[in-house]
Amino acid sequence: MKKTSTLEERIKQASLAPMWTRPKMLAKPKSKCSEQLWSFKEIKNLLLEASPHITPEDSERRVLILESKDLPESFFLSPTLFAGVQLLLPGEVAAAHRHSQAAIRFIFEGDGAYASVGGEKVSLEKGDLLINPRNEWHDHGHEGKIPALWLDVLDVPLVDVVDAQFREWSNQAKQEVNFTDGHSNLLFSNGLRATTGELFKSRESTHQDYIRKYSYINSRRTLNELMSSKKLDPYKGAELVYVDPRGGSVLPTIDAFLQGIPAKFSTLNYQSTETKIVVVAEGEIKIVFDDKSYILKENDIFLIPSWRKYSMTGVTDAVLFSASNKPLLVSTGLWNEVKA
Ligand code: 1HN
């Protein structure tokens, strides 16, 4: 006799799922990843050990991925961000390609390295921030003497989840240099903005002009000026956001910040829906949660997940670089913060 299937089985066979068995929605965010600290020294040593075996030709790039311990095998830092540390040795070239994932890079060390982004060749020094919009050609090279290391932050997981990956290799390892270092900075400086040329195009168009590099020397001068005003914010100390001079964040999905925390200054408790990756550019800080605290030394990297309440204290005078998915939250109405 034919066994009649249960209601549950027939629902499943019809490619349906009963919502009445689904976990209830969360009352507040509970991040899929917890906070996490990476030691720069450890990453650098592992990359140097790997370097004789892995060349930039073998791998797309010589990168150690900062993979959240809560997202094993995902290759992701968080549900929307990818982060990795890249090593390029003197004389090496990381060949030109482009893709629909957008990137920023923050330089740890390695004077003499350069990046060509959208035809402009920019030199890289400690603390510089590099912008690599979606679908923009880029290659890296190194004409200096010491290994170059930088942090890559990309919106890879987001591009993955919306099924919008595109990638292309160039037939030339190094792209033609059309503009020398400083071209894009000059076009946007002195309180002027071009109305002719490429600059008037919308940020969605490719091969537009934008600032390739925010040099640390300049950003640090602005931060000094803000800190010398002695009006520190109780939740942030002194903070600057890097902006696209045409308006808004440096990338549609990623914001970047530079923050000063003086020695012994403690910020008040703060939480928000952004997921933030923090790098200590100078000095040493302590990050305190209600159940744990962490000490971060120069170049160390830290992940602050959504809705985790924290405060920061300068162990010494400290400067922090950070990047977050805030623009994504703001543009979708999901930005939320609590100053407690
Ligand atoms: C990429 O193109 C680079 O160009 C670095 O240096 C890291 C991670 C995922 C996807 C593309 C680079 C990357 C990447």
Side-chain angles (χ1 to χ4, degrees):
M1 214 170 61
K2 193 166 167 261
K3 191 172 168 277
T4 50
S5 33
T6 63
L7 173 63
E8 285 76 14
E9 283 165 348
R10 279 178 286 132
I11 287 173
K12 200 169 171 193
Q13 275 158 13
S15 219
L16 299 167
M19 191 156 149
W20 54 89
T21 63
R22 242 195 66 140
K24 298 277 180 292
M25 291 204 208
L26 297 173
K28 55 182 194 264
K30 186 175 185 316
S31 179
K32 290 169 195 68
C33 42
S34 37
E35 76 272 4
Q36 197 169 337
L37 169 66
W38 284 270
S39 147
F40 174 72
K41 215 160 133 192
E42 187 175 14
I43 300 170
K44 179 178 172 178
N45 287 339
L46 292 169
L47 274 168
L48 287 171
E49 197 178 326
S51 64
H53 315 294
I54 306 289
T55 65
E57 289 91 52
D58 296 333
S59 155
E60 286 193 54
R61 300 296 195 241
R62 190 193 287 114
V63 170
L64 280 178
I65 298 170
L66 306 174
E67 186 185 71
S68 161
K69 62 182 182 323
D70 302 308
L71 305 171
E73 309 296 321
S74 67
F75 302 121
F76 298 156
L77 175 77
S78 80
T80 60
L81 295 173
F82 167 101
V85 177
Q86 184 163 169
L87 168 68
L88 195 69
L89 296 174
E92 287 182 337
V93 169
H97 68 184
R98 62 176 177 169
H99 40 71
S100 54
Q101 295 90 350
I104 62 162
R105 308 187 205 286
F106 183 75
I107 316 305
F108 291 116
E109 52 192 40
D111 297 358
Y114 69 86
S116 284
V117 189
E120 181 174 334
K121 183 177 171 183
V122 296
S123 58
L124 306 176
E125 287 175 41
K126 177 177 165 59
D128 289 351
L129 171 67
L130 194 73
I131 308 301
N132 199 138
R134 289 189 203 301
N135 304 313
E136 193 67 286
W137 290 108
H138 54 286
D139 56 88
H140 321 300
H142 199 341
E143 294 159 350
K145 293 199 167 52
I146 61 161
L149 290 122
W150 61 78
L151 176 75
D152 292 305
V153 181
L154 294 92
D155 56 9
V156 175
L158 179 77
V159 175
D160 242 32
V161 83
V162 296
D163 292 331
Q165 290 196 34
F166 293 92
R167 145 162 315 227
E168 193 181 346
W169 285 95
S170 170
N171 48 20
Q172 297 168 290
K174 296 184 192 185
Q175 33 175 327
E176 199 179 310
V177 177
N178 299 319
F179 306 112
T180 49
D181 203 358
H183 162 81
S184 57
N185 294 93
L186 191 57
L187 281 180
F188 283 110
S189 59
N190 302 324
L192 296 167
R193 181 179 161 179
T195 58
T196 58
E198 299 291 292
L199 289 145
F200 61 90
K201 286 188 184 172
S202 85
R203 67 187 304 163
E204 303 311 327
S205 64
T206 53
H207 307 300
Q208 59 194 330
D209 268 313
Y210 50 87
I211 290 184
R212 282 6 177 229
K213 181 178 78 173
Y214 296 75
S215 86
Y216 193 60
I217 293 175
N218 290 340
S219 315
R220 197 60 181 79
R221 277 175 57 207
T222 307
L223 186 66
N224 262 352
E225 190 67 17
L226 184 65
M227 294 193 79
S228 68
S229 70
K230 301 274 184 245
K231 285 194 193 119
L232 293 174
D233 180 89
Y235 300 93
K236 304 270 181 179
E239 188 192 58
L240 300 167
V241 61
Y242 292 84
V243 291
D244 182 323
R246 297 162 303 167
S249 47
V250 288
L251 290 174
T253 50
I254 299 177
D255 247 331
F257 306 90
L258 197 66
Q259 190 176 359
I261 310 268
K264 300 194 177 77
F265 180 85
S266 286
T267 62
L268 298 180
N269 277 337
Y270 178 81
Q271 69 190 134
S272 81
T273 46
E274 78 189 325
T275 300
K276 199 170 221 194
I277 181 168
V278 178
V279 176
V280 180
E282 291 176 42
E284 197 172 315
I285 60 152
K286 187 176 177 184
I287 302 191
V288 182
F289 299 87
D290 57 3
D291 51 354
K292 251 179 165 176
S293 67
Y294 301 81
I295 296 282
L296 279 67
K297 297 190 185 324
E298 187 173 329
N299 284 346
D300 283 352
I301 308 165
F302 196 83
L303 169 66
I304 303 174
S306 167
W307 219 242
R308 195 77 164 110
K309 192 188 290 180
Y310 67 95
S311 73
M312 289 179 176
T313 301
V315 176
T316 64
D317 284 344
V319 178
L320 311 178
F321 169 81
S322 63
S324 89
N325 60 354
K326 184 174 176 181
L328 192 63
L329 296 157
V330 171
S331 64
T332 50
L334 294 168
W335 171 250
N336 244 297
E337 65 182 346
V338 173
K339 294 177 173 178

